[in-house]
Amino acid sequence: MNTQPDDILKLAVMVSGGGTNLQAIIDSVADGRIHDTRIVRVISNKKDAYALERAKKAGIETKAVARTDYKDREEFDRALLAALDEAKPDLVVLAGFLVVLSKEIIRKYKGRIINIHPSLIPSFCGEGYYGLKVHEEALKRGVKVTGATVHFVDEGCDTGPIIMQKAVNVEPGDTPEILQKRVMEQAEWKILPETIDLIARGCIKTGDA
Ligand code: GRF
């Protein structure tokens, strides 16, 4: 039953790991940097994801949908879709979610799924580029500037329309871990809440474009 007033943006956040991007959203909703928004469910494909602890501490409903609990990929995908549908979200946020969404989910939530990627797309993205690997490749290439991107999710891998980006300097002596932390602190944890706030305030249109 929809108990929210119409003007509240209902978020479902999908996570797989530590949940620092989820925490940035939780904190931004709490301190008002994100307006008129409520996280209605946090969904993880990992039962032990620390992101689920963060959600529970914030009093947010959680749902773990683990691949090993389902006989095949199709059944797992159906369970993920059901976990989303039950929450009736206006917006789905992939915050370090490492599962490729099924075409059915992407079509059903077309234009209402956003993802945070830890590079300036189209650099260092696509198949296999996630987590530390992204920063390892940026350092290997020798780029002087990297950053993060928020984009709409389409049926490709990191190929949907770009919404917001923020650049971060690469410093001499950076390791992948140091660079990852700087990109999170200076870019990811800023542009993901900022994008959600703009969507909540109607400044960015979502849905079937
Ligand atoms: C972040 O680097 C994010 O950009 C990438 O996966 C990592 C997730 O971190 N998609 P966290 O779970 O939000 O801490």
Side-chain angles (χ1 to χ4, degrees), residues 143-162:
V143 295
K144 304 306 175 194
V145 174
T146 185
T149 302
V150 179
H151 62 94
F152 284 112
V153 172
D154 65 8
E155 296 187 19
C157 183
D158 299 332
T159 52
I162 291 172

Side-chain angles (χ1 to χ4, degrees), residues 107-119:
R107 285 180 195 142
K108 181 160 189 178
Y109 287 89
K110 184 169 166 42
R112 294 193 291 141
I113 309 174
I114 63 173
N115 180 51
I116 177 83
H117 181 77
S119 77

Side-chain angles (χ1 to χ4, degrees), residues 14-24 51 54 94-98 115-119 129-132 134-135 147-149 180-181 183-184 188-189 192:
M14 304 184 85
V15 296
S16 297
T20 63
N21 278 285
L22 168 67
Q23 192 65 55
R54 296 179 188 271
L94 307 186
F97 189 61
L98 298 180
N115 180 51
I116 177 83
H117 181 77
S119 77
Y129 281 90
Y130 58 87
L132 270 184
V134 174
H135 305 291
T149 302
Q180 177 179 53
K181 189 146 174 34
V183 169
M184 283 177 158
E188 297 180 41
W189 299 345
L192 186 54

